[in-house]
């Protein structure tokens, strides 16, 4: 964007909303700008949303979906140029309208380096465009001692089939974060920012914290937030366009800002299955959102009205804890197999070649062959496996990149000439898409923590920092 962003008004955006909006007098218009900021906000749909005069804008920026690498490495998943482009769009929209902007799960994984990188882009935009604004940040990093204490007290429960970590495993994590909920973001909003950027946050909190402060029913606010955090994904057809929710004391109305994406009762109700093992209950840090009595009513072909959610508070809060540790450096070998005889013997051949390479290349390393067409994505019975062509991705993890590449190269050459029953040619049994065929593929990380911490000490977590851009930082 080439136009200069306007400076913030003398009265802060959050204060104006909290003082000027009266629930019941008019619906609260909440605009969801992005389901993952940094991958391209459709500008035309955002502009249509702004024309509806929303009271606030929210944008999710990340999740744990891309795996443990970004949490462990402290790097952003989205391209930095696109992060800047999307941030400029929502900053311009919010500051021009004088309304609060709330962004959650900064920089993908929401740890300290992700939050710092996101704030750095905001400062860069401010310097380029003469911005003056108050920025509040919520920090989501959790000290290892806090998690170790929870482990020792039996307050740490895995989500899914996670191996129970040791104290040493926890302390080996490069970054540990907790997903903050509406309470943490509401506390940050009370510092009266124009822009709030949170570290790792529940996607619902981004959109429900302001309604909670204004006095709207928390159940309705959370249900609304759960749907609109993915923008128009709840529509037919789904997409990434901005989504507008109009919230009142009895329910909310959903409308995509793309005229050809329709929020229908079926598509909106089906969104309860998104990232949920049980469509009736959504667990939040402060309690459980109960959707068993939720109702979905079509207002027209484009909009749906939602009501009926209930919220059951939890006596003591719980938090999702995420932590990642470095495993090693990864090299990857990519090849194709079109010999039907080799495909019949591919698993024992790979095992035999690995054994040979272990004799040739000493040292601590791990090898993970993935045979696409033979069950790399999911287990396949023999009759469903490809008989004509398969893709081979061999992943090697070692303490350093030189060893990882060495193992991949030696494995490639030995596999290329390995003998197997029925072999016709002594070479040419593999096809390579690239040269060199073995490639560096970043550090490898693993989840050590993917757990729920019961009875979480919220008083000691989620500190808030307030910064006046081009001014001073206060705590």
């Amino acid at each position: 964007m080439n136009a200069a962003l306007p400076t913030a008004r003398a009265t802060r955006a959050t204060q104006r909303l909290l003082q000027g909006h009266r629930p019941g007098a008019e619906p609260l218009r909440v605009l969801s700008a992005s389901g993952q900021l940094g991958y391209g906000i459709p500008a035309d749909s955002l502009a249509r949303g702004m024309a509806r005069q929303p009271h606030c804008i929210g944008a999710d920026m990340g999740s744990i979906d891309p795996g443990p690498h970004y949490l462990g490495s402290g790097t952003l998943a989205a391209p930095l140029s696109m992060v800047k482009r999307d941030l400029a769009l929502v900053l311009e929209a919010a500051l021009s309208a004088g309304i609060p902007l709330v962004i959650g799960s900064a920089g993908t994984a929401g740890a300290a380096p992700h939050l710092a990188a996101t704030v750095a882009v905001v400062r860069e935009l401010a310097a380029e465009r003469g911005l003056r604004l108050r920025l509040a940040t919520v920090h989501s990093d959790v000290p290892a001692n806090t998690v170790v204490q929870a482990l020792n007290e039996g307050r740490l429960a895995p989500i899914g089939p996670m191996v129970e970590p040791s104290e040493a495993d926890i302390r080996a994590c490069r970054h540990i974060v907790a997903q903050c909920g509406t309470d943490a973001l509401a506390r940050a909003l009370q510092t009266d920012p124009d822009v709030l950027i949170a570290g790792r946050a529940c996607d619902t909190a981004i959109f429900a914290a302001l309604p909670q402060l204004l006095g709207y029913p928390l159940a309705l606010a959370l249900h609304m937030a759960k749907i609109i955090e993915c923008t128009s994904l709840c529509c037919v057809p789904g997409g990434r366009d901005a989504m507008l929710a109009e919230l009142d004391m009895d329910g909310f109305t959903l409308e995509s800002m793309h005229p050809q994406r329709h929020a229908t009762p079926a598509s909106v109700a089906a969104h309860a299955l998104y990232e949920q093992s049980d469509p009736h209950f959504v667990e939040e840090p402060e309690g459980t959102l109960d959707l068993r009595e939720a109702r979905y009513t079509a207002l027209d072909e484009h909009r749906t009205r939602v009501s009926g959610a209930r919220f059951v508070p939890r006596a003591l809060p719980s938090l999702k804890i995420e932590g990642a540790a470095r495993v090693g450096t990864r090299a990857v070998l990519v090849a194709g197999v079109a010999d039907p005889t080799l495909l019949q013997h591919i698993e024992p051949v790979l095992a035999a070649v690995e054994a040979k390479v272990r004799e040739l290349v000493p040292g601590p390393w791990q090898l993970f062959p993935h045979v696409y067409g033979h069950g790399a994505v999911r287990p396949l019975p023999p009759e469903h496996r490809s008989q004509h062509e398969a893709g081979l991705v061999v992943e090697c993890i070692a303490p350093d990149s030189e060893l990882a590449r060495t193992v991949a190269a030696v494995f490639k050459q030995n596999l290329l000439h390995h003998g197997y029953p029925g072999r016709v040619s002594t070479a040419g049994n593999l096809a390579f898409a690239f040269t060199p065929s073995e490639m560096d593929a970043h550090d490898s990380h693993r989840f050590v923590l993917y757990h729920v911490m019961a009875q979480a000490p919220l008083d000691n977590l989620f500190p808030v920092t307030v910064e006046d851009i081009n001014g001073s930082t206060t705590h």
Side-chain angles (χ1 to χ4, degrees), residues 49-98:
M50 293 307 300
R52 300 288 292 275
Q53 298 182 321
H55 294 97
C56 56
I57 303 174
D60 198 2
M61 196 176 178
S63 74
I64 212 66
D65 293 355
H69 172 78
Y70 300 101
L71 178 59
S73 65
T75 56
L76 279 65
L80 190 58
S81 62
M82 290 298 293
V83 170
K84 184 175 181 179
R85 179 254 187 203
D86 285 359
L87 275 174
L89 277 173
V90 291
L91 278 170
E92 179 182 39
L95 294 175
S96 297

Side-chain angles (χ1 to χ4, degrees), residues 175-410:
H175 300 105
I176 302 173
V177 293
Q179 273 190 298
C180 64
T182 54
D183 285 355
L185 268 64
R187 179 163 47 86
L189 287 165
Q190 289 172 329
T191 66
D192 193 21
D194 298 299
V195 179
L196 167 59
I197 301 178
R200 188 70 171 110
C202 293
D203 43 24
T204 48
I206 300 166
F207 302 94
L210 272 167
Q212 180 186 33
L213 282 175
L214 287 164
Y216 284 90
L218 183 56
L220 293 177
L222 286 170
H223 193 193
M224 172 199 73
K226 176 61 183 171
I227 298 170
I228 68 171
E229 64 92 6
C230 290
T231 58
S232 292
L233 194 63
C234 66
C235 297
V236 180
R240 302 178 65 89
D241 297 271
M243 194 81 181
L244 182 71
E246 296 188 65
L247 174 67
D248 55 46
M249 303 302 284
D250 300 311
F252 54 92
T253 298
L254 300 172
E255 181 180 356
S256 173
M257 293 298 96
H258 191 295
Q260 299 304 317
R261 303 197 192 283
H262 308 299
T264 70
S267 67
V268 171
H271 196 72
L273 290 165
Y274 182 72
E275 298 179 332
Q276 294 292 127
S277 58
D278 188 334
H280 295 129
F281 301 99
V282 180
E283 297 299 334
E284 297 287 328
E286 299 85 6
T288 302
L289 180 63
D290 184 345
L291 302 179
R292 287 177 295 178
E293 297 181 14
R295 296 182 296 277
Y296 307 86
T297 305
L299 298 182
D300 51 41
E301 67 175 6
H302 190 61
R303 299 176 301 155
T304 286
R305 169 86 175 166
V306 184
S307 60
R310 296 186 300 120
F311 184 71
V312 182
R314 187 173 289 111
L316 293 170
S318 62
L319 292 174
K320 184 185 178 190
I321 304 293
E322 299 160 353
R326 181 181 182 274
V327 178
T329 298
R330 180 190 287 116
V332 171
L333 168 68
V334 178
V337 180
D339 179 356
T341 305
L342 176 56
L343 287 174
Q344 292 177 12
H345 303 283
I346 190 67
E347 284 81 11
V349 166
L350 293 172
V353 172
E354 179 180 348
K356 186 183 300 183
V357 175
R358 290 199 177 278
E359 295 177 359
L360 298 170
V361 185
W365 51 265
Q366 303 174 73
L367 201 75
F368 303 97
H370 310 281
V371 186
Y372 288 86
H374 270 230
V377 177
R378 60 185 176 89
L380 291 174
E383 62 271 18
H384 291 163
R385 296 180 180 182
S386 171
Q387 304 299 311
H388 306 288
E389 182 178 89
L392 177 62
V393 177
V394 179
E395 175 187 8
C396 179
I397 299 175
D400 58 77
S401 57
E402 182 178 358
L403 179 57
R405 285 196 306 270
T406 298
V407 171
V410 175

Side-chain angles (χ1 to χ4, degrees), residues 449-470:
L449 295 168
Y450 198 80
H451 291 68
V452 172
M453 179 194 292
Q455 303 175 30
L458 291 189
D459 293 342
N460 300 321
L461 297 176
F462 310 124
V464 176
T465 300
V466 181
E467 175 182 357
D468 289 321
I469 297 290
N470 298 326

Side-chain angles (χ1 to χ4, degrees), residues 35-184:
Q36 192 167 5
L37 188 147
Y39 287 97
I41 294 174
D44 53 349
S45 294
L46 180 62
R48 292 189 196 100
M50 293 307 300
R52 300 288 292 275
Q53 298 182 321
H55 294 97
C56 56
I57 303 174
D60 198 2
M61 196 176 178
S63 74
I64 212 66
D65 293 355
H69 172 78
Y70 300 101
L71 178 59
S73 65
T75 56
L76 279 65
L80 190 58
S81 62
M82 290 298 293
V83 170
K84 184 175 181 179
R85 179 254 187 203
D86 285 359
L87 275 174
L89 277 173
V90 291
L91 278 170
E92 179 182 39
L95 294 175
S96 297
I99 60 177
L101 170 64
V102 181
I103 295 173
S105 292
T108 308
H114 306 95
L115 184 59
T118 306
V119 170
V121 176
V122 172
R123 292 197 189 109
E124 183 179 343
L125 287 167
E128 292 174 357
R129 304 172 186 228
L131 285 176
R132 294 175 57 197
L133 62 111
R134 174 167 292 174
L135 174 67
T137 52
V138 178
H139 304 259
S140 299
D141 298 83
V142 180
N145 286 342
T146 300
V147 183
V148 169
Q149 181 179 353
L151 175 69
N152 293 336
E153 294 175 356
R155 294 187 290 110
L156 206 62
I159 302 173
M162 292 290 295
V163 176
E164 181 170 316
S166 66
E167 178 176 339
D169 291 333
I170 293 171
R171 297 191 185 282
C173 288
R174 288 188 164 184
H175 300 105
I176 302 173
V177 293
Q179 273 190 298
C180 64
T182 54
D183 285 355

